[in-house]
Amino acid sequence: MCGVCGCGGSEARIGSVFGGDRNKRVQRADTGTTQAWRAIDTRRPAASPAGLDHESTDRASVARLQRVERDILGKNARIATANRSWLAERRILALNLMSSPGSGKTSLLVRALETLGGRLPAAVIEGDQQTEFDAERIRATGVPALQINTGKGCHLDADMVARALPRLPLAERGLLLIENVGNLVCPAAFDLGEAHKVVILSVTEGEDKPLKYPDMFAAADLMLLNKADLLPYLSFDVERVIEYARRVNPRLEVILTSATRGDGIDAWLAWIERERASA
C-alpha cells in the first residue's frame, strides 16, 4: 500500500506491447504502510480519556507516517532521475498525461497519433487499474502501447515506468506518451522521469477544478482544455478556468482541444515539436 496517498497499489501488472496474455507481475517495494495512518488528524490532538496519552501516540504515528512518505518519495525520485537520464541519453521526449477519469485523455492521444501519421516515432505507456482497453485503442493507430494495470493503485510511479521502458520499441529522438491513471490528486506527487506533465481538463468538469486540485495544475507545464465542441451546450466559462489555472500556476500554457473535431491537435503537436527540438 502506498504510504503517500493511502492507495492499495502493492502490485502492478505490466502487459505486453502486443497485448494478449504475455504479462509480467511486478512487486512494488513501497509496501508496509497502513490506511489507518492516513486517518490521523494532524491539525489537533484527539480528545483523550483520563489516564490515556493519545496525543503522544498520535504524534508518534504522524512522525512515522512522515518518515514512510519521505522514504517512498525519496526512492521514487531516485528512480525518476535514472529514468530521465535514460531518456535524455536517447533524446526521447517523455510526457506524463494526467487528468480525472473521463476527460478524454485516450481519445486525444488517438486523434494526435492519427494526425501525426508516423512522422515522429512514438510509443505509449497506458496506466489503468484494470483492462487493456485503452492500450488496444492506441495499438489500433499502429503505435506500440504497453499497458500497466495498477490494481488498487491510483497512480503510476517511477519504478513501474523503469520496468516498462526496456520493453518498448523506443526510437532515438522519439516521443514517449505516458497516460497516467485517471486521478486529479496522486499522480501529481510522483515524478516518473518525464520532461513535462500535461494536465487534461474537460469542459464538462467545471471551472473550479484548478482551485480544488491545485497540486495537479501547479505541477503541469501544459493544460489541454478538452471537449471544446461541447461548449455551445454548457454554461462553462473558458476565461475563468484559465484565470483559475494561472492563479495556481502563472507559467501554465493552455490549448483548447476537441478530440471529436480535432480542435487544437495541430497546436498540441506544434508544442510537442518545440519541446522536442529543445530537448
Side-chain angles (χ1 to χ4, degrees):
M1 182 176 290
C2 172
V4 176
C5 62
C7 75
S10 61
E11 190 176 80
R13 187 179 67 187
I14 300 180
S16 164
V17 174
F18 306 101
D21 296 323
R22 289 175 286 180
N23 294 320
K24 178 181 179 182
R25 287 193 171 272
V26 178
Q27 186 69 36
R28 280 172 50 185
D30 59 359
T31 58
T33 63
T34 64
Q35 189 111 22
W37 295 355
R38 301 303 298 169
I40 297 169
D41 187 344
T42 59
R43 294 168 298 181
R44 55 186 174 83
S48 303
L52 294 179
D53 190 3
H54 287 305
E55 182 176 350
S56 61
T57 301
D58 280 357
R59 283 200 301 266
S61 297
V62 169
R64 186 182 180 195
L65 171 61
Q66 290 170 341
R67 286 196 302 272
V68 171
E69 289 180 348
R70 284 195 299 268
D71 289 346
I72 291 171
L73 288 177
K75 177 188 174 184
N76 186 83
R78 290 190 295 273
I79 299 173
T81 298
N83 290 348
R84 188 168 286 110
S85 297
W86 190 94
L87 292 162
E89 286 171 5
R90 294 156 179 81
R91 300 190 69 183
I92 296 168
L93 177 68
L95 303 179
N96 181 3
L97 309 183
M98 309 176 298
S99 77
S100 60
S103 67
K105 288 195 303 298
T106 309
S107 296
L108 270 179
L109 270 178
V110 168
R111 187 66 184 248
L113 292 171
E114 289 174 344
T115 303
L116 199 56
R119 298 193 307 272
L120 171 62
V124 175
I125 293 175
E126 280 289 341
D128 279 303
Q129 289 189 314
Q130 300 292 341
T131 80
E132 288 209 7
F133 294 154
D134 289 349
E136 289 166 359
R137 290 177 64 189
I138 298 298
R139 292 177 195 133
T141 70
V143 173
L146 189 149
Q147 182 76 51
I148 299 178
N149 290 135
T150 60
K152 294 182 180 179
C154 59
H155 56 84
L156 296 177
D157 63 26
D159 184 58
M160 295 176 191
V161 172
R163 294 169 185 260
L165 288 176
R167 305 178 66 182
L168 280 164
L170 290 164
E172 189 167 331
R173 291 190 53 76
L175 174 66
L176 174 62
L177 298 163
I178 305 169
E179 183 177 347
N180 220 312
V181 179
N183 182 346
L184 274 178
V185 182
C186 307
F190 285 82
D191 183 5
L192 305 180
E194 72 276 2
H196 300 284
K197 289 180 170 65
V198 177
V199 61
I200 294 94
L201 178 68
S202 72
V203 300
T204 58
E205 295 178 74
E207 302 102 332
D208 55 0
K209 288 298 184 292
L211 300 183
K212 286 185 173 181
Y213 303 95
D215 289 352
M216 177 65 69
F217 294 84
D221 294 309
L222 174 68
M223 178 173 76
L224 301 179
L225 189 55
N226 197 32
K227 303 188 182 180
D229 53 297
L230 297 179
L231 282 171
Y233 312 103
L234 302 169
S235 57
F236 184 91
D237 191 326
V238 171
E239 291 183 1
R240 178 178 296 172
V241 74
I242 293 174
E243 190 275 322
Y244 284 166
R246 287 183 173 153
R247 188 184 301 179
V248 172
N249 182 356
R251 62 180 174 77
L252 187 67
E253 296 186 61
V254 180
I255 299 174
L256 202 62
T257 60
S258 166
T260 302
R261 292 191 313 214
D263 301 13
I265 300 298
D266 288 339
W268 183 28
L269 293 178
W271 183 92
I272 288 173
E273 286 290 359
R274 185 193 78 192
E275 296 304 322
R276 180 168 164 264
S278 63

